[in-house]
Amino acid sequence: MKTQDMNRDWIATAATLSSALPYLQRYDGAIVVIKLGGHAMGSDEAMESFARDVVLLRHVGVNPVVVHGGGPMINAMLKKLDIQSEFVNGKRVTDQATVEVVEMVLSGVVNKRIVQAINAQGGTAVGLSGKDANLMICDQTDSSLGFVGTPSEMNPKLLQDLFAHDVIPVIAPLGAGRNGETFNINGDTAAGAIAAALKADRLLLLTDVSGVKNAAGEVVTELKAGQIREMTREGTIAGGMIPKTETALDALHSGVRAVVILDGRAPNAVLLELFTEHGAGSLIRPD
């Protein structure tokens, strides 16, 4: 006979699960696009934790879509292959040799690592790029930058078909050109375009910062689009946060219900954001 006493940790765990019920009901059937980058991709432990969270989302009725980056891995491979890069205004020129490496790394090593991690946790994940089923048709962003593209036509039916079969799409940010080109797309931009095409309930941008900060350096947990624009004009939002908030504003304008910029370094950040009252980052809503 085995006996044990209830302890406070168990009771707190049960209370946490119980309090999550209204959020589980709220997101049942919802589409949540997650941009994965930074620390969450940096270690096997972080990847395993992220993959477990994504599988949990699928099992409670959420339709997750993972869009990933891979800049450090691309840089490492370019160095290994001794391919020199040119820069225009601080941005890498993606020539033919470079875009071939970008596709090899993003659609190959990085994408399949994430797919394998999700499958290892009991999910069913499939790796794609924006070239598959013409998911993202791109136009060249700037001729001086070479094969860097901006999504101009989206075809999300394949993703909707995968949802119907409980499959989790994992998407590398590459797109097809109108003349057979391959274009590299900024990961945040790709995630925003996919979220907009799906009219997603949430777009989660995982970063290595805790969220959008005000002038006092404090994380602002909830903002409207107009406040983002004002903080940018004032210079409170600056540097690397600008492209993320611009992605958020574009997504909101295109029909995404809300965007969250959150710290991907925090354990179970996605679950905290979706299934707890306090969330885990900066929630941005339309005006």
Side-chain angles (χ1 to χ4, degrees):
M1 182 180 294
K2 183 178 180 181
T3 63
Q4 61 186 14
D5 296 324
M6 296 292 287
N7 65 38
R8 290 182 178 179
D9 288 342
W10 298 344
I11 294 170
T13 299
T16 299
L17 292 172
S18 179
S19 66
L21 176 60
Y23 302 101
L24 294 170
Q25 293 169 327
R26 159 73 177 77
Y27 288 104
D28 186 24
I31 296 173
V32 175
V33 177
I34 307 167
K35 164 56 188 351
L36 176 63
H39 178 80
M41 296 178 64
S43 71
D44 291 340
E45 182 180 0
M47 182 65 74
E48 181 180 342
S49 176
F50 173 79
R52 189 182 304 115
D53 289 354
V54 170
V55 173
L56 190 152
L57 292 182
R58 179 55 264 175
H59 276 279
V60 298
V62 179
N63 293 306
V65 179
V66 179
V67 182
H68 63 83
M73 298 79 163
I74 293 169
N75 292 339
M77 183 58 72
L78 289 172
K79 183 177 180 180
K80 183 176 181 179
L81 297 175
D82 196 27
I83 296 176
Q84 303 299 317
S85 297
E86 296 182 21
F87 292 84
V88 174
N89 297 324
K91 296 181 179 180
R92 186 196 305 275
V93 176
T94 305
D95 59 16
Q96 184 63 46
T98 301
V99 80
E100 289 175 4
V101 173
V102 168
E103 183 166 24
M104 175 176 65
V105 173
L106 291 182
S107 286
V109 176
V110 176
N111 187 274
K112 300 314 173 189
R113 179 187 175 213
I114 300 167
V115 167
Q116 189 172 13
I118 292 172
N119 292 342
Q121 296 300 320
T124 303
V126 170
L128 306 166
S129 79
K131 294 171 67 175
D132 291 296
N134 286 327
L135 172 60
M136 290 189 282
I137 303 296
C138 291
D139 291 323
Q140 189 175 47
T141 302
D142 183 335
S143 60
S144 68
L145 296 177
F147 294 99
V148 175
T150 299
S152 55
E153 181 182 327
M154 303 295 295
N155 300 288
K157 185 180 183 302
L158 174 61
L159 304 185
Q160 293 159 343
D161 291 343
L162 293 175
F163 297 154
H165 291 86
D166 294 335
V167 176
I168 301 168
V170 179
I171 304 171
L174 296 159
R178 299 181 188 279
N179 298 305
E181 312 97 325
T182 296
F183 283 113
N184 184 23
I185 309 168
N186 174 275
D188 290 341
T189 301
I194 290 166
L198 291 168
K199 296 292 187 284
D201 193 274
R202 287 287 186 274
L203 168 60
L204 307 182
L205 299 176
L206 272 59
T207 70
D208 283 344
V209 296
S210 49
V212 179
K213 296 180 180 180
N214 61 20
E218 302 164 329
V219 174
V220 183
T221 56
E222 191 162 341
L223 304 108
K224 294 290 186 69
Q227 292 174 295
I228 292 289
R229 288 188 285 266
E230 180 63 25
M231 292 170 72
T232 303
R233 283 194 296 267
E234 294 172 349
T236 305
I237 293 176
M241 186 56 70
I242 290 178
K244 293 188 181 300
T245 53
E246 287 179 344
T247 292
L249 294 178
D250 289 343
L252 294 174
H253 180 73
S254 298
V256 176
R257 184 171 293 182
V259 181
V260 186
I261 298 174
L262 66 162
D263 191 346
R265 299 169 299 181
N268 309 114
V270 171
L271 301 186
L272 286 170
E273 174 55 39
L274 296 179
F275 299 138
T276 67
E277 182 179 2
H278 48 74
S282 297
L283 176 70
I284 307 169
R285 297 184 184 275
D287 291 325

